[in-house]
Amino acid sequence: METINEQSFPQGGLISSRLSSDAVGNLLEVHDFFCRFKEVIGLEEPVSFKELEQELLFPCPHMVGKSSILETVETFVYSVLLPDLVSKLLDRIALVVNSKLGAKIQLNMLPINELTWPEVVRRYIMAYLLLGGRLGSLKITSSNKTKLIHCLQSDCGIFCGSPTNVAGIDLDAQLLGRAINKVSGKLKSIRNTLSMGIKGESSDGSIPEWAKVLDPVKKLPTNVGSRIRNCVYEALKKNPPEWAKKQLEASISKDVYKCNASGPTKRAVIDVLKRAASDVPQRPLSLDVNIRIRSCELLISKIIMKKCRSILRNVAANYDDRREFSTLMGDNLKSDEIKVVFESASRRPLDFPTVDLRLLHGTYGGSPQAFLEDVRELWINLKTSHANTSSLVKLVDDISKDFNLKYENEVTPLLGKLSEYNMKGKFNVEVEKELEELLASIEIPKMSLEAGICKVCGINEDDDKVLLCDTEWCNAEYHTYCLNPPLSEIPQGNWYCPACKQLADGQPKGVLQILQFVDESCCEEANQFLDILTALEETEYWQLEAHKKIFLLKFLVDRSLDTNIIRKNLGESKTKLTKKFLGIDAVGRIYWGFPYVNAHSGIIINELDNTDINPFDHPPSLPQYNNCGQWHLFQSEEEISQLVGYLTENDPYTTELSDSVMLWQKTMLQSGQHTERKKPVGRETVYSHNCLTTNATVLLEAQHGFNMEPDAATCVKKPRGKNVTKWHRCDCLEPIFPSRHHCANCHETFFTTVEFEHHKNSTCEIVLYPGHDGARATSSTGFSEVGKNFTVPESSSNSLVGNTHHMIRQLLINLLDMEAALPDGAKRPSMASPEWRSGWCAFVKSANSISEIVEATLALETMIKTEYINNTWWWYWSSVSVAAKTSTFAALALRIYTLDDAIKYQKTGTTSNEKQSKKMKQTSEKAKERKKTKDPEEQVERTDMT
């Protein structure tokens, strides 16, 4: 073979100097797709490659500073492409599930809109990987069947590394309790003024000397058994009381103490410390009356919850030695998850450990009514689960009767006694001391569900293999062999349980978790998706680097060939100009013809680095872009002529390649694509942007007329004439109806005129302006800035900040509308009071982080009765620990819109929530169209105001 004269190779233009080679290759594919299906996507004309590159390089959030190209493309993705792709996959999964169950179930579509679509894409990619890239296959294994449903219809807890079994229940109870207390406002106001520890400086007394020497045990690792035992010996030398002496001696007995894994010993010492602390009066440092009142209120709340926990455990302890009771206690309500979710009546997945741990972590907010609601639902769940076993149904009836009797005999009188302390002037030093003694006197009996069993297997054995978490407030126990992965020996130093380690890390684990479920044949491809999955889990789509956004668009472009709208247009696009593989020259350069590159056709050459491709193999399609070299464009007639001349003179063995290049040039000239753009024929497709309306808002409009100012939240005007009965949105974002009285100064809402007048005249903390009716005015309290104080990265651009505020306002509006649209009787009685609603609304309006909006959402779902939310929500979206890790607006929005879809705003027995929602939206759209034609002046006025 003659030597190739590389120096004479013509120099084309470098396509991009700002993107990596593989990103350029992917973008060329994306760009070609946009040009080929521009009418389908809704683009007015072929897209310039440079213009597309520019938009992807500089992040522009939706609705803020974005050009029509990406906005049009994204609208096509969330309104057409994704619904089609997800719908097809759901249909295939449902077909497999139905064939196995012998029943017909329907998998509902995820709510896909301009806020949620990046999270939906992330889930779709996970489903793609689970199926090994074969989304059209019906060969779905039983294990993957459930995982696929979790991908597309749940909060993906199975892929987030969330703790399971007792550990998961414990963590959920902690986080839910924190959310409930923050929303109610009690936690924030009390914890700032009271010390909750057991150290001497926090009280007017101090813990005994014998207990002080035990205090270091709380921070000692489980594997330093000798140091723990020495602390116990020191405490025994200081003459502890008889009860403590017995427990401490038992903790270092031969049957309990193990030097290598002294978990049970540490647990016993911690129990002793807790009781010792309860015997110490907990005095606040200040004698301020308000602080003492708060202290007493907190003590009363703790007494009530501790007493409720005591009777629940006492009742359970009476049946603890019966095998049937063990069956109920160990009942895994999710053992046949799909049947439970899709065939049984709506019920929350409650069990004994859940109720017990919620009592421990203050999830009921000191409300015995909330506790009773869960207990009654627990009996229903157990009887439903064991409906075919009469002996178990009878056992549940017996337990519930014993519980009711104990509650009436012990809790009811206690509530009456405690209510007397709430009388004005009753809270003093003597009362506070009496309450402290009462709290210390309540015993919590041990039983099989007690903390002390392994958080994974739930069995209390093999103490020499037990590890205690070294987080001071946790102390959860795990067998070394129950951990994932299991430990072969006791670890050195501090050891933290999976739940605490996960909270400390603060990072989502979904990407790493899904790899263990992916088939080996797909592992290599799955690794290519790790980067984009991690990014979508932690970062907003518009903040992704350009190469990640391009990779995502390339994936969607490839998957679009499965959609009806693209397949329908494939026949027409054979008649259109598309990219064409032209060949490979002697040194391995790959030649492509592209019809649209920067408004003109051109030859694109990729100089592969270290390629092993045989130039005479002539691959029929574009190879993978891994290890790509630079991409060059030959576009003018002169450049292409020089290229043909080079091939003819220097590469005589590839005459076929030079012929292909000349034929491509001729075809382009004949089609007119080489010199000018082809104008689109006919009207382009336009897709709707109005996808952010919730079912709740639609219902409010159907009941009260249309919102007078749907977007002008900061400029409120009084209704006039025929609009008097219509609702409006206050500058605090709350929807206001004629049946509600809203104070525009403090922004509380009242449901009767009497309450409202009383509030205006005596209780409103903000002085009303003269002549102000308190119902309709722009407030000076700062609510016009709702969402403005939301935490955003310091490096964020102005456009990002503006978009963040836009999204936050939308999500806060959604939550407030969802609560307002709840029908009478939909709220649990314990959370139906005006005080609770007022506290929740205030918390929503003051939210300044994603985590606080999550907490507001958790509180909202908790306040709704079980029968008013679809079963799929309770079983697939109710993982509190997963919700607490929400880190993107897309994931947050998906959770809120999914909850909105799950709520039964109009509870009926014949119409499904989905059909009902669809009908409501159709009615709303028709009414909006009529409004546009009837009231053009109001439209103009609204535009001027905004």
Side-chain angles (χ1 to χ4, degrees):
M1 179 180 291
E2 298 180 4
T3 303
I4 303 297
N5 184 7
E6 280 296 292
Q7 293 183 353
S8 63
F9 186 78
Q11 294 297 314
L14 189 65
I15 290 184
S16 175
S17 60
R18 297 181 291 180
L19 295 175
S20 62
S21 296
D22 58 337
V24 173
N26 285 331
L27 186 55
L28 283 169
E29 291 285 284
V30 171
H31 174 260
D32 181 70
F33 177 86
F34 289 172
C35 293
R36 186 179 180 186
F37 297 100
K38 60 183 179 61
E39 290 88 357
V40 177
I41 297 173
L43 295 169
E44 297 182 356
E45 54 188 11
V47 179
S48 163
F49 182 92
K50 290 294 183 184
E51 189 176 355
L52 181 59
E53 178 192 38
Q54 182 74 7
E55 288 202 20
L56 290 167
L57 281 168
F58 297 97
C60 292
H62 185 80
M63 298 185 69
V64 181
K66 181 173 293 185
S67 79
S68 60
I69 298 175
L70 283 186
E71 186 173 353
T72 301
V73 169
E74 289 174 15
T75 304
F76 170 74
V77 167
Y78 65 71
S79 61
V80 178
L81 184 58
L82 269 181
D84 199 329
L85 290 173
V86 176
S87 177
K88 285 182 180 297
L89 185 53
L90 287 174
D91 289 343
R92 289 165 186 160
I93 298 172
L95 184 62
V96 174
V97 173
N98 289 334
S99 64
K100 292 184 179 294
L101 285 181
K104 186 173 183 180
I105 67 169
Q106 182 180 358
L107 301 176
N108 295 329
M109 172 65 70
L110 287 169
I112 305 175
N113 57 42
E114 63 194 76
L115 296 183
T116 65
W117 74 266
E119 172 65 11
V120 177
V121 170
R122 186 182 74 86
R123 291 159 176 265
Y124 184 80
I125 292 176
M126 293 169 69
Y128 173 84
L129 296 178
L130 283 175
L131 286 176
R134 299 181 294 273
L135 294 181
S137 173
L138 291 179
K139 295 181 180 179
I140 303 176
T141 63
S142 296
S143 59
N144 270 356
K145 168 188 62 181
T146 301
K147 295 182 184 68
L148 286 167
I149 293 176
H150 275 281
C151 261
L152 299 171
Q153 288 202 309
S154 83
D155 55 18
C156 287
I158 191 173
F159 305 111
C160 293
S162 296
T164 56
N165 300 319
V166 181
I169 297 171
D170 193 1
L171 183 57
D172 278 4
Q174 291 181 49
L175 296 173
L176 184 59
R178 187 186 305 171
I180 295 297
N181 281 291
K182 284 181 69 175
V183 170
S184 65
K186 295 177 182 177
L187 193 65
K188 185 180 295 185
S189 61
I190 295 174
R191 280 195 174 174
N192 289 338
T193 53
L194 296 180
S195 173
M196 303 298 293
I198 65 170
K199 297 182 179 180
E201 66 268 22
S202 65
S203 62
D204 61 351
S206 62
I207 61 174
E209 288 298 319
W210 64 266
K212 285 183 179 180
V213 299
L214 292 174
D215 197 58
V217 173
K218 294 186 295 183
K219 297 183 179 180
L220 289 176
T222 305
N223 56 10
V224 290
S226 59
R227 293 176 61 186
I228 295 174
R229 183 176 57 181
N230 289 338
C231 290
V232 175
Y233 283 149
E234 287 297 317
L236 289 172
K237 292 178 183 179
K238 295 182 179 294
N239 298 318
E242 192 62 26
W243 66 266
K245 182 179 179 181
K246 288 182 179 180
Q247 287 185 245
L248 291 174
E249 289 177 340
S251 71
I252 55 174
S253 65
K254 184 177 180 181
D255 294 334
V256 176
Y257 173 75
K258 309 291 179 183
C259 63
N260 59 340
S262 53
T265 300
K266 180 176 177 179
R267 180 181 69 222
V269 172
I270 290 173
D271 287 343
V272 170
L273 283 171
K274 286 181 178 177
R275 181 167 179 182
S278 67
D279 290 340
V280 177
Q282 299 294 309
R283 296 279 191 270
L285 291 173
S286 170
L287 297 180
D288 181 80
V289 175
N290 291 329
I291 294 179
R292 175 162 286 114
I293 290 175
R294 296 192 191 103
S295 173
C296 291
E297 288 175 345
L298 178 61
L299 283 169
I300 289 175
S301 174
K302 293 177 72 172
I303 289 169
I304 294 172
M305 291 297 97
K306 191 174 182 182
K307 188 62 178 179
C308 289
R309 193 175 185 219
S310 174
I311 67 163
L312 180 70
R313 283 168 166 258
N314 269 304
V315 170
N318 294 334
Y319 298 86
D320 209 10
D321 57 348
R322 295 178 57 174
R323 175 174 293 183
E324 296 93 339
F325 182 74
S326 299
T327 302
L328 292 178
M329 290 296 297
D331 180 40
N332 183 2
L333 294 178
K334 294 191 176 183
S335 58
D336 197 355
E337 183 182 275
I338 292 180
K339 282 190 175 182
V340 171
V341 172
F342 293 102
E343 293 186 358
S344 58
S346 182
R347 57 195 180 105
R348 304 175 197 226
L350 285 172
D351 50 23
F352 268 96
T354 299
V355 177
D356 178 71
L357 290 169
R358 286 184 174 183
L359 284 165
L360 175 64
H361 295 299
T363 304
Y364 299 115
S367 168
Q369 189 176 19
F371 162 67
L372 284 177
E373 290 164 356
D374 269 6
V375 170
R376 289 162 184 161
E377 197 156 343
L378 169 62
W379 307 141
I380 295 173
N381 282 357
L382 292 175
K383 291 175 73 172
T384 303
S385 298
H386 303 283
N388 296 326
T389 308
S390 58
S391 60
L392 291 178
V393 173
K394 184 180 183 305
L395 178 60
V396 175
D397 285 334
D398 292 341
I399 296 174
S400 64
K401 288 178 182 177
D402 285 356
F403 171 83
N404 291 337
L405 185 62
K406 265 193 169 298
Y407 189 90
E408 288 300 319
N409 291 338
E410 298 183 30
V411 179
T412 301
L414 176 65
L415 294 176
K417 178 181 179 180
L418 293 174
S419 65
E420 296 177 2
Y421 291 124
N422 284 322
M423 296 174 61
K424 187 175 182 181
K426 274 284 187 177
F427 290 139
N428 50 41
V429 176
E430 291 73 19
V431 168
E432 189 175 13
K433 184 176 181 179
E434 185 179 341
L435 290 173
E436 289 168 348
E437 292 173 351
L438 180 57
L439 178 64
S441 68
I442 301 174
E443 296 284 343
I444 303 295
K446 303 282 185 180
M447 55 176 298
S448 59
L449 59 79
E450 171 66 286
I453 64 175
C454 174
K455 292 288 189 178
V456 177
C457 67
I459 299 175
N460 188 6
E461 60 183 29
D462 293 340
D463 285 347
D464 60 328
K465 299 289 195 304
V466 170
L467 283 168
L468 254 70
C469 177
D470 289 316
T471 302
E472 185 174 344
W473 53 266
C474 178
N475 298 309
E477 298 186 25
Y478 290 79
H479 288 122
T480 55
Y481 50 77
C482 287
L483 294 167
N484 184 20
L487 296 177
S488 58
E489 59 183 15
I490 304 301
Q492 296 296 318
N494 289 335
W495 176 83
Y496 302 100
C497 71
C500 290
K501 189 174 185 303
Q502 180 180 318
L503 285 177
D505 292 344
Q507 295 296 329
K509 304 297 181 185
V511 174
L512 299 178
Q513 289 291 322
I514 196 172
L515 287 181
Q516 60 185 302
F517 303 115
V518 174
D519 188 81
E520 292 183 2
S521 62
C522 191
C523 281
E524 184 177 351
E525 185 178 12
N527 283 317
Q528 298 175 5
F529 282 92
L530 282 181
D531 198 29
I532 189 66
L533 283 177
T534 302
L536 287 173
E537 195 172 25
E538 301 174 357
T539 311
E540 305 301 336
Y541 165 75
W542 62 83
Q543 294 176 289
L544 296 180
E545 296 95 329
H547 72 275
K548 292 178 181 177
K549 283 190 281 191
I550 293 170
F551 181 91
L552 187 64
L553 289 172
K554 173 64 164 55
F555 173 77
L556 293 173
V557 164
D558 291 342
R559 299 306 317 151
S560 67
L561 296 176
D562 284 344
T563 62
N564 294 331
I565 190 167
I566 297 299
R567 294 179 69 88
K568 180 180 177 182
N569 283 271
L570 277 176
E572 181 183 353
S573 67
K574 286 172 185 179
T575 62
K576 294 182 178 180
L577 294 171
T578 60
K579 72 177 187 299
K580 182 180 180 181
F581 171 72
L582 302 178
I584 301 178
D585 66 18
V587 295
R589 287 183 288 251
I590 301 179
Y591 291 65
W592 285 86
F594 277 80
Y596 300 104
V597 184
N598 299 333
H600 300 284
S601 64
I603 306 294
I604 291 179
I605 300 178
N606 176 229
E607 300 178 1
L608 295 180
D609 292 335
N610 302 321
T611 180
D612 296 326
I613 296 178
N614 187 327
F616 302 102
D617 286 345
H618 292 269
S621 62
L622 186 66
Q624 291 294 322
Y625 295 126
N626 297 333
N627 301 318
C628 288
Q630 291 184 327
W631 297 80
H632 292 273
L633 171 64
F634 295 78
Q635 200 162 30
S636 68
E637 292 185 20
E638 181 180 356
E639 288 174 334
I640 295 176
S641 297
Q642 290 176 357
L643 183 61
V644 172
Y646 168 84
L647 292 174
T648 303
E649 180 179 349
N650 293 280
D651 211 347
Y653 298 97
T654 55
T655 55
E656 183 179 341
L657 174 57
S658 58
D659 291 342
S660 296
V661 172
M662 289 187 292
L663 178 61
W664 170 262
Q665 183 186 28
K666 181 180 179 181
T667 304
M668 292 299 99
L669 288 172
Q670 290 176 347
S671 66
Q673 294 296 315
H674 185 70
T675 57
E676 61 180 11
R677 296 186 182 186
K678 187 175 181 180
K679 300 297 182 181
V681 179
R683 184 178 181 181
E684 295 78 29
T685 305
V686 178
Y687 301 109
S688 172
H689 292 253
N690 188 25
C691 303
L692 297 180
T693 304
T694 59
N695 294 336
T697 304
V698 171
L699 178 63
L700 294 178
E701 291 178 343
Q703 292 176 340
H704 303 284
F706 292 106
N707 179 6
M708 292 181 59
E709 291 107 20
D711 299 313
T714 61
C715 187
V716 185
K717 62 178 184 179
K718 286 190 175 183
R720 303 187 304 270
K722 63 179 182 180
N723 295 324
V724 169
T725 61
K726 295 182 179 181
W727 68 292
H728 68 276
R729 192 174 302 285
C730 180
D731 56 351
C732 72
L733 304 186
E734 190 174 340
I736 311 300
F737 319 112
S739 58
R740 296 184 176 187
H741 306 275
H742 185 72
C743 178
N745 282 282
C746 67
H747 293 278
E748 283 195 56
T749 300
F750 302 88
F751 296 86
T752 66
T753 304
V754 174
E755 291 177 341
F756 184 48
E757 290 299 325
H758 174 71
H759 169 78
K760 287 197 300 180
N761 296 329
S762 61
T763 64
C764 185
E765 297 180 357
I766 303 173
V767 179
L768 296 176
Y769 298 113
H772 186 279
D773 63 2
R776 194 79 169 153
T778 302
S779 170
S780 59
T781 60
F783 276 111
S784 59
E785 298 296 307
V786 170
K788 292 290 184 182
N789 296 323
F790 202 85
T791 303
V792 294
E794 292 183 2
S795 58
S796 301
S797 63
N798 291 334
S799 61
L800 174 59
V801 173
N803 185 65
T804 299
H805 293 155
H806 161 74
M807 289 187 299
I808 292 308
R809 290 179 65 84
Q810 181 63 57
L811 295 180
L812 296 184
I813 284 172
N814 291 347
L815 286 175
L816 292 168
D817 285 2
M818 288 159 66
E819 187 278 334
L822 290 174
D824 294 338
K827 292 183 182 178
R828 304 176 78 186
S830 60
M831 295 181 172
S833 67
E835 293 77 16
W836 171 264
R837 182 192 182 278
S838 179
W840 181 83
C841 287
F843 184 80
V844 171
K845 299 167 190 176
S846 65
N848 61 7
S849 66
I850 287 180
S851 62
E852 289 191 348
I853 297 184
V854 168
E855 289 171 333
T857 307
L858 291 173
L860 176 62
E861 67 176 79
T862 302
M863 75 171 72
I864 303 174
K865 290 181 179 178
T866 302
E867 60 269 25
Y868 280 86
I869 298 185
N870 288 338
N871 215 23
T872 51
W873 177 265
W874 297 125
W875 290 83
Y876 283 152
W877 285 88
S878 58
S879 173
V880 181
S881 56
V882 175
K885 293 188 297 182
T886 302
S887 55
T888 66
F889 290 115
L892 174 63
L894 185 64
R895 188 174 190 92
I896 291 175
Y897 280 99
T898 304
L899 176 59
D900 173 68
D901 274 356
I903 296 176
K904 302 174 183 178
Y905 293 107
Q906 292 180 321
K907 190 178 177 184
T908 59
T910 56
T911 306
S912 70
N913 204 45
E914 184 182 9
K915 292 180 179 178
Q916 173 185 316
S917 171
K918 185 177 180 181
K919 184 176 180 180
M920 288 162 56
K921 286 184 177 180
Q922 289 175 344
T923 304
S924 175
E925 290 299 325
K926 291 180 180 178
K928 285 181 180 179
E929 290 299 322
R930 290 196 300 268
K931 180 180 177 64
K932 288 180 181 179
T933 58
K934 290 182 179 179
D935 201 358
E937 294 183 1
E938 186 176 343
Q939 291 285 327
V940 173
E941 182 180 1
R942 184 182 306 160
T943 303
D944 293 339
M945 288 198 309
T946 57

